[in-house]
Amino acid sequence: MYLRRLRDLREDHDLTQTDIANLLGIKQTVYSRYERGYQNIPLEHLLKLADHYGVTLDYIFERKD
């Protein structure tokens, strides 16, 4: 699944993929695969990102604006 909003949120907060990978405790290459939709992102990482950005999972999944 491709989550365009993950990239948008990261860029809006002036963060790099490495910054977010460090937050999640993963390698930058893994996070890059998440953003590009080449690897499914675990729920625990989605929840951590939603909390970090102060948004809901519905927002990340583009179910709400």
Side-chain angles (χ1 to χ4, degrees), residues 12-29:
D12 288 348
H13 287 82
D14 296 321
L15 298 169
T16 65
Q17 287 184 346
T18 301
D19 294 330
I20 299 303
N22 290 337
L23 172 76
L24 298 175
I26 59 175
K27 293 184 178 184
Q28 178 275 329
T29 54

Side-chain angles (χ1 to χ4, degrees), residues 7-47:
R7 181 178 178 177
D8 292 344
L9 284 165
R10 179 178 57 77
E11 290 177 346
D12 288 348
H13 287 82
D14 296 321
L15 298 169
T16 65
Q17 287 184 346
T18 301
D19 294 330
I20 299 303
N22 290 337
L23 172 76
L24 298 175
I26 59 175
K27 293 184 178 184
Q28 178 275 329
T29 54
V30 173
Y31 183 75
S32 175
R33 285 187 225 129
Y34 291 168
E35 276 193 4
R36 294 180 293 141
Y38 295 144
Q39 184 171 336
N40 288 333
I41 181 169
L43 180 59
E44 67 185 65
H45 289 175
L46 286 168
L47 291 170

